[in-house]
Amino acid sequence: MSEKIRVGIAGYGNLGKGVEKAVAQTSDMELKGIFTRRDPKSLNPAGNVPVYSMDQAEALKDEFDVVILCGGSATDLPVQTPELVQFFNVVDSFDTHANIPVHFENVDHAATGSGHIGLISIGWDPGLFSLNRILSQSILPNGKTYTFWGKGVSQGHSDAVRRIQGVADARQYTIPVEEALEKVRSGQNPELTTREKHTRECFVVAEEGADLAAIEKEIVEMPNYFSDYDTTVHFITAEEMAKNHSGLPHGGFVIHSGSTGDNNHVIEFALNLDSNPEFTSSVLTAYARAAYRMNKMGMNGAKTIFDVAPAWICEKSPADQRKELL
Amino acid sequence: MSEKIRVGIAGYGNLGKGVEKAVAQTSDMELKGIFTRRDPKSLNPAGNVPVYSMDQAEALKDEFDVVILCGGSATDLPVQTPELVQFFNVVDSFDTHANIPVHFENVDHAATGSGHIGLISIGWDPGLFSLNRILSQSILPNGKTYTFWGKGVSQGHSDAVRRIQGVADARQYTIPVEEALEKVRSGQNPELTTREKHTRECFVVAEEGADLAAIEKEIVEMPNYFSDYDTTVHFITAEEMAKNHSGLPHGGFVIHSGSTGDNNHVIEFALNLDSNPEFTSSVLTAYARAAYRMNKMGMNGAKTIFDVAPAWICEKSPADQRKELL
């Protein structure tokens, strides 16, 4: 019997807890420890696994086959991924699209030096959505790809509303416009404005005595976040917020429409997720298997979902894959 | 400037003609010749490319970087793929699911011996659908995958109807049942019978004086092909057939529903194709690029879509892929 892949988690928030659950659903991986920047004693992981301080990473470098980085893209991962890839094969979900080339270079430099794999930007966008973009455009180069997000909670937009004076709590949903989806699916390759693609819906708990009209105006006119969209604002109670908006659902669509001569073809990929972080964790976990295997095959350096053959994320043997899944 | 990939086509039917169009949409590939079992002079390819007899393959082995095999799975590919992989990197669309393991072994033996890549079962099912099955099941192992086909023309079923006495021409459409799709998308993981998943619709041109009731009965009761389905039969004129049913549209859905703890997630991939053969040709052409590159990287032997990293099918440079598609 082969040894299990020894997995570590760095960062024990929503993503880290999701990875813990995802690893438990596999039979070839084993959670060997959690790294945290908090006091290790303050964590209560579900399984009976050791919790380490992030500072102990180097000392423990031979104890893990792959470490899944569960920090945020704004400040954690730009530092942690290049640092931890010195000691381990790592996977992260770095999702600031515009900064991916720089992050890639930083991780590649450190990973090449240490002989590890640094698999970055794994999740669903970037991630599975990117995969569908590259497949579609490679197969039907004479075409156009559309990405829609939602219906789902945008944490960045929710935070932006929460920062408004008089707002006690807020949740923002991004919603794709059904007519735009239908137009794209019909193969018309329409030019769509930002406003035509998505609407935004905000649920706001106001502080007592707050000026609701002023809050609504500040939301719908907020540049970058809301001014280019049709936005609806609903004021609700804290109880309604807790009851109806405590989840973090998300999803979306990548639709490519392209032609071959006189014929048109539509390729569509859609996700409908009850929990954005738990699904992202599941993607990270499957690709952690690939990171480990790629390193075993002799590869190193920064990699993305584009560099990973599907066989490498699958627990089944190649022969079983061909027999059962092809 | 780098040299273009020198592509050959073996078999000049619907698929071969589709590959010819697909190669013309790329800027890194060049069609260098077509192999046929017919009299080479009888072919009139769209571009000004040489047509060779299949017997000349060995003599021309240094003239092609990859040859795309466009024969049928029943009798052509089981012979041609192992034979031609002795001389070239090849890609085929072998789609008899049950025989894939044997075909793989035969191609692997020949390809390993010659140092070439034999990339088999490329298309959409097997192919892109397989890719979505392996991704979904690797990411959400606690779940269930459903494959639906259509709406589209099944050539095997159309042929079966054409063989009935009194039938001059026939076209059979496979149609997924909308309620079944909805039930799957809702995350219920239903158990569905064959009859609950698809219906079949036949358009038949009868010979003059034929017994229509007898034809209809023979269709709907035909074992394996129709008896397990709800089948509708329409008798139409030859003119209606030519006008409304001359295309070969197809498509379908791979839907996976799986859970992580208390949360459920649905991954859906859908194709809506005006021309089944032209789309398959486009997939073959993109993966021919990968076959060539994999061989350049030092790989050989039989491979499937599971072994191909997405980056390898894409014309763009890795840096542009990350910048534009990730």
Side-chain angles (χ1 to χ4, degrees), chain A residues 66-254:
Chain A
V66 57
V67 174
I68 300 174
L69 308 195
C70 299
S73 297
T75 56
D76 299 333
L77 298 176
V79 177
Q80 289 175 1
T81 313
E83 180 163 331
L84 292 176
V85 82
Q86 297 178 87
F87 316 126
F88 311 109
N89 297 308
V90 301
V91 185
D92 81 19
S93 64
F94 185 80
D95 66 359
T96 313
H97 286 263
N99 297 341
I100 286 174
V102 169
H103 187 58
F104 183 91
E105 290 307 324
N106 293 340
V107 175
D108 194 49
H109 182 76
T112 309
S114 72
H116 290 116
I117 289 282
L119 186 51
I120 67 160
S121 300
I122 296 295
W124 58 274
D125 194 6
L128 300 181
F129 275 19
S130 323
L131 185 56
N132 278 276
R133 287 188 284 261
I134 201 171
L135 285 169
S136 297
Q137 294 189 20
S138 302
I139 291 165
L140 297 175
N142 185 18
K144 204 164 147 70
T145 311
Y146 299 81
T147 302
F148 292 87
W149 297 273
K151 183 182 177 174
V153 174
S154 162
Q155 304 207 54
H157 285 75
S158 299
D159 290 343
V161 175
R162 276 189 212 107
R163 286 191 293 264
I164 293 173
Q165 186 160 14
V167 171
D169 196 6
R171 205 75 82 254
Q172 193 270 183
Y173 294 91
T174 305
I175 305 168
V177 175
E178 194 59 42
E179 299 83 68
L181 285 171
E182 285 308 319
K183 220 183 258 185
V184 170
R185 285 188 185 120
S186 75
Q188 295 175 46
N189 284 354
E191 292 295 332
L192 296 169
T193 63
T194 299
R195 195 175 298 274
E196 286 169 331
K197 285 185 73 185
H198 297 93
T199 57
R200 299 194 178 277
E201 191 171 19
C202 303
F203 292 85
V204 178
V205 179
E207 287 169 1
E208 205 168 316
D211 181 344
L212 303 190
I215 292 174
E216 179 164 349
K217 186 169 189 295
E218 191 166 343
I219 295 174
V220 302
E221 294 180 355
M222 194 184 296
N224 301 319
Y225 285 87
F226 292 100
S227 62
D228 292 336
Y229 299 84
D230 290 336
T231 303
T232 319
V233 179
H234 309 277
F235 290 97
I236 60 173
T237 64
E239 292 68 39
E240 287 173 295
M241 181 65 84
K243 186 171 162 227
N244 302 324
H245 304 283
S246 63
L248 291 170
H250 220 314
F253 305 83
V254 176

Side-chain angles (χ1 to χ4, degrees), chain B residues 5 14 53 56 91 124 144 146 152 188 214 238 284 316:
Chain B
I5 302 170
N14 280 337
S53 160
Q56 297 173 267
V91 185
W124 57 276
K144 205 165 146 72
Y146 298 81
Q188 295 174 46
L284 283 167
K316 292 180 199 282

Side-chain angles (χ1 to χ4, degrees), chain B residues 197-268:
Chain B
K197 286 184 72 186
H198 297 92
T199 57
R200 298 195 179 277
E201 190 172 19
C202 303
F203 292 86
V204 178
V205 179
E207 287 169 0
E208 205 168 317
D211 181 342
L212 304 190
I215 291 173
E216 179 165 349
K217 186 168 188 296
E218 192 166 341
I219 294 173
V220 302
E221 294 180 355
M222 195 184 297
N224 301 319
Y225 285 87
F226 292 100
S227 62
D228 292 337
Y229 299 85
D230 290 336
T231 302
T232 319
V233 179
H234 308 277
F235 290 97
I236 60 173
T237 64
E239 291 70 38
E240 286 174 296
M241 181 66 83
K243 185 171 163 230
N244 302 325
H245 305 283
S246 62
L248 290 170
H250 219 314
F253 305 83
V254 177
I255 310 179
H256 181 88
S257 168
S259 71
T260 55
D262 300 329
N263 291 300
N264 198 68
H265 313 283
V266 178
I267 305 174
E268 175 166 345

Side-chain angles (χ1 to χ4, degrees), chain B residues 9 102 121 130 152 164 183 193 201 207 212 219 222 308 312:
Chain B
I9 291 172
V102 169
S121 301
S130 323
I164 293 174
K183 219 182 258 184
T193 63
E201 190 172 19
E207 287 169 0
L212 304 190
I219 294 173
M222 195 184 297
V308 180
W312 305 339

Side-chain angles (χ1 to χ4, degrees), chain A residues 7-8 14 17 21 34 36 48 63-64 67-68 100-101 126 161 168 219 241 247 296 299 308:
Chain A
V7 177
N14 280 337
K17 288 172 188 166
K21 289 185 193 175
I34 297 169
T36 181
N48 188 22
E63 305 301 314
F64 295 87
V67 174
I68 300 174
I100 286 174
V161 175
I219 295 174
M241 181 65 84
K296 280 280 236 188
M299 300 182 210
V308 181

Side-chain angles (χ1 to χ4, degrees), chain A residues 130 260 268 270 278 306 311 326, chain B residues 130 133 260 268 270 278 306 311 326:
Chain A
S130 323
T260 54
E268 174 167 346
E278 278 193 9
F306 297 152
L326 199 63
Chain B
S130 323
R133 286 188 285 261
T260 55
E268 175 166 345
E278 277 192 11
F306 297 153
L326 197 64

Side-chain angles (χ1 to χ4, degrees), chain B residues 75-115:
Chain B
T75 55
D76 300 333
L77 299 175
V79 177
Q80 289 175 0
T81 312
E83 181 164 328
L84 292 176
V85 82
Q86 297 178 87
F87 315 127
F88 310 109
N89 297 306
V90 301
V91 185
D92 81 18
S93 64
F94 186 80
D95 66 359
T96 313
H97 286 264
N99 298 342
I100 286 175
V102 169
H103 186 59
F104 183 91
E105 290 309 324
N106 292 340
V107 174
D108 194 49
H109 182 76
T112 310
S114 71

